[in-house]
Structures are given as C-alpha cells and as structure tokens.
Amino acid sequence: MELYWNKEVETMEREQIWSLQLERLKSAVGRVYENVPYYRKKMQEAGIEPGDIKSLEDLENLPITNKQDLRDTYPFGLFAVPMEEIVRIHASSGTTGKQTVVGYTQNDIDMWADCMARCLVMEGADRSSRVQVAYGYGLFTGGLGAHYGAEKLGAVSIPASSGNTQRQITMMIDFGVTHLCCTPSYAMNIAEVLTDMGHSKDDLKLKSGCFGAEPWSDGMRTEIQNRLGLRAYDIYGLSEIMGPAVSHECRYQSGLHIWEDNFIAEITHPDTGLPVKHGEPGDLVITTITKEGIPLIRYKTRDICTLNYDKCECGRTHVRMSKPAGRTDDMLIIRGVNVFPSQIESVLLSVGDVQPHYQILVDRVNNADTMTVEIEIPESIVTDNVRGVEEFGKKISAQLGSVLGINAKVRLVEPKSIARSEGKAKRVIDNRRI
C-alpha cells in the first residue's frame, strides 16, 4: 500500500496540475512585475507584461533568471515583499565572493516543510520515525530544510548537523535512528568510520537515507546501501529555489517527483536556452509559483536531466526528473571532450574494490590539458605487490579512457589519504589558467 503525505495533491490529474500551475504562474508573474524593479525591467525589455501570460506555453517568452542575477541584485534586490515580512534568510557561497541570498516568509517556510514531509513519507517515514539530520545547519539550506520537514511530519528530529562522525554513529545506535539525511559523500564517510569503530550495519536501525546536495551515481547508491543497511533515496533542491525537497524519489526510484503545485519545470538546451524535444536531456529550468519572499522566474539550475510525465507506479502524477547527470558548471572540458565527475565515479565503482574516495586534478602543460585521477589503493590489494598495484591502475585507466573518450592518468595513493567530506565533497581541483 502506497503512503502519501497529501494524497489529493500528490495524485492530481494532469489537467488539474496544469490548470493550477497556470493560475499560480499568472499570480507569480504579476507579483514580480509589480514588486521587483529588476524583473519589471527585464520583462519590459523582452516586451512582456503579466497580462500576456494566458497559457503555460507563454512561459517560454519570459526571460531566463540565473545566479548572476542574484549577484547583480545582492543582497535583497529580488525580494518581492518588504523585509518586515521576511522571517528567515539563507545564502549559498559563491566563487566571486558574493553570496546568493534568499529570503523566506512564514508561508514559504510552511510550504518548504510540507514539501519535505512529502519526501520523507515517500521513503517510508512516519510519526514513529527518528530522523537524524546530518546536513550542515546555518546559512546552508540542507539542515533546517530537513529538520522542519521531519517536525512537520511529527517524527523525532535529531539536529546532529555535519561533522564529529563518531558521535553521529553513537547517536544512531543509542537513539535508534531510522532515517538519515546528509550528503552521499558524508554517508560514505559515516560507513567508513562505522567500520573503524568496530561496528557494522547490524548495529544500526536505519531504514532509509535521504541523500542530496551533490551529484552521485547509482554505483555509490549501491555502496551506501550495502554498507549502512538502508535504502538510499535521492533528494533534489537548491537554495535559490527553496532548498532540499524540490523533488524526491518514491520507492520505485524511477526518477524524482517534482512538486508541481509549487514549481514549474522545463528542460532547455544548455547553450541556446531553447526548449528541447520531449525526453531529451538538457538544462533544468524552474519557476517558483508559490514562493513569496523571492519568487524566481525560469531559473537556470545548470543541472542536466530529463523529464518524464508518465504516471508513476506509486500513483503520484507529478512529473519526474531523472537523476541529474551533472551540472553544466561542474562539467570539465578536457581537450574538447565534456567530462562530468559523476562519469568518473561510475567507472571507479564498476571496477570493484574501489571506494568512491577520489579526486580529479586538471592542469595545462605545454598548452595541452592534462587530467589525473587520484584513487586510494583498496586495502584488499597487497600494497607491496607492485605488479598487482600496477595492473590495477592500468585497468582503471583503460576503463576511464573507454568511457570518457580521452586518456586520463591514474595515480594510486595510500588508503584514507584523500580528505573525507562532512558536507559537499570537493572532487575537482582545476589548476588551469585560461
């Protein structure tokens, strides 16, 4: 029997969803035009007024929003309500030194908690669950997003935050934690420390894990499940749109359901910005249609995925996005070839004996790009068996070359020598000066 948090909303007919989206889209466009000078100027330059939105197809005529727009209006230039109505601010760090700042009204917080409660129910949580939130708390949206959702559900919320991994494990065992929320790379860190502490998955009562905030492969999913004895679910979100719980996998894990009563999803070509054909991969673009604090119109997420509008076996009708293949801003171009870190992770995990602890080093030597993948030597390989180590490195190098279409140098390093992540893993070090 399938469980729902809000069955009426989660199983709406497609025509009902579209009708609701159009009504809310018209309202959202009107609000930003009236209350956000930056948006009003962009829309006027595009020759569009709120009254021109008569169907969902008209969404394509609205201008794209990207992260640079938030930086250009830093800190509060895209807020659509007075500061007196903002009850919380979150922000994500940026490479330019300017954070992208988002604000929430109380209604925004309530909507976010509702979306997160839906996600937790999809992976089997209920009022009897004990949810350990090991995402970072603070300006990062992960911790508080998952926390408020667990409380909305009526479950026990354990605000562990990230770090202090031994204590995390002790709490899991002593508190009988049933659900874990963290990044997938930190879940792997927890699994490793669990073994180091002399424990095994049999000492845990974990049923499921809600893992997101970074791309991860199905190979890593299998590894986490095997080592922690839970079922690993992918959750998607981003600070600019809301935070975690924009979408989530159901028990059939055939895509992540996007909550279409709050968001409209499109897929566009990463370069042209034009819509792609149905089922083709491209850049996920999201419009918020219920957000009050900082509603965003056609926000370019830079996450590469596809959309599936077929009704899911779980009974939910909200569109499913595929697990993101990577981000266009994470994509490396090595000698003219597009390379995503998630591709490399998939290769490593397919080889066997390799844990997903790796780092990609990119440089430019004599005007030519070079890529080195550092991988920890599996403890199952005897380190003084030089030939065995060499053969192992050659095997991985050949696999990478076959999948990526370019040669990558493989450097084997000592076990546990690559820094472990307590949040988002830093996979790429790009030393090129272009």
Side-chain angles (χ1 to χ4, degrees), residues 319-336:
V319 67
R320 284 167 287 158
M321 58 182 280
S322 63
K323 193 176 179 66
R327 291 176 56 84
T328 54
D329 52 359
D330 284 345
M331 183 180 73
L332 296 165
I333 302 178
I334 310 294
R335 300 191 292 277

Side-chain angles (χ1 to χ4, degrees), residues 47-62:
I48 300 172
E49 295 183 350
D52 296 328
I53 305 301
K54 302 184 187 304
S55 70
L56 289 178
E57 287 71 27
D58 293 326
L59 181 64
E60 297 176 8
N61 300 322
L62 291 166

Side-chain angles (χ1 to χ4, degrees), residues 185 188 214-217 220 332 339-349 354-361 371-377 396 400 410-413 416-421 425-429:
S185 55
M188 281 301 305
E214 61 189 15
W216 54 303
S217 65
M220 183 179 261
L332 296 165
V339 176
F340 289 98
S342 57
Q343 291 176 297
I344 294 173
E345 180 179 293
S346 295
V347 169
L348 298 183
L349 289 170
V354 178
Q355 300 300 318
H357 303 302
Y358 65 95
Q359 201 152 52
I360 304 163
L361 309 177
M371 182 171 72
T372 301
V373 182
E374 287 191 341
I375 308 160
E376 293 182 359
I377 301 172
I396 294 177
L400 287 172
V410 172
R411 180 185 299 153
L412 298 176
V413 298
K416 300 183 181 180
S417 61
I418 294 176
R420 299 306 191 246
S421 170
K426 184 174 177 57
R427 300 296 194 194
V428 179
I429 298 176

Side-chain angles (χ1 to χ4, degrees), residues 188-325:
M188 281 301 305
N189 190 357
I190 289 172
E192 191 172 56
V193 175
L194 179 75
T195 301
D196 291 344
M197 291 174 67
H199 294 297
S200 74
K201 62 184 179 183
D202 296 332
D203 298 316
L204 305 173
K205 295 183 178 179
L206 290 173
K207 297 178 180 178
S208 75
C210 181
F211 305 125
E214 61 189 15
W216 54 303
S217 65
D218 283 330
M220 183 179 261
R221 185 205 300 272
T222 301
E223 190 74 20
I224 291 171
Q225 290 181 157
N226 290 340
R227 298 187 67 177
L228 290 180
L230 48 69
R231 190 164 186 188
Y233 289 85
D234 200 355
I235 188 170
Y236 175 81
L238 58 166
S239 299
E240 297 89 337
I241 295 300
M242 180 178 72
V246 172
S247 67
H248 191 278
E249 290 179 316
C250 66
R251 64 190 177 97
Y252 291 95
Q253 296 184 316
S254 57
L256 291 79
H257 290 273
I258 299 174
W259 302 123
E260 291 188 271
D261 53 322
N262 296 304
F263 312 104
I264 299 177
E266 306 171 78
I267 300 293
T268 65
H269 192 282
D271 297 326
T272 66
L274 297 174
V276 302
K277 293 180 180 179
H278 179 67
E280 287 188 0
D283 204 333
L284 178 64
V285 172
I286 295 179
T287 297
T288 65
I289 51 177
T290 55
K291 282 278 293 288
E292 295 177 341
I294 180 169
L296 294 181
I297 305 298
R298 303 194 74 202
Y299 184 76
K300 186 181 179 73
T301 69
R302 297 191 177 276
D303 287 305
I304 302 296
C305 65
T306 60
L307 294 180
N308 181 355
Y309 286 89
D310 295 339
K311 187 175 180 178
C312 183
E313 289 183 78
C314 73
R316 293 177 180 84
T317 52
H318 292 235
V319 67
R320 284 167 287 158
M321 58 182 280
S322 63
K323 193 176 179 66

Side-chain angles (χ1 to χ4, degrees), residues 5 9 27 42 51 54 79 81 147 158 171-172 181 187 189 255 262 272 287 294 314 337 396 413 432:
W5 170 247
V9 170
S27 175
K42 288 187 73 169
K54 302 184 187 304
F79 284 20
V81 298
H147 179 99
I158 303 167
M171 286 193 294
M172 285 182 208
C181 300
N189 190 357
N262 296 304
T272 66
T287 297
I294 180 169
C314 73
V337 176
I396 294 177
V413 298
R432 291 175 296 183

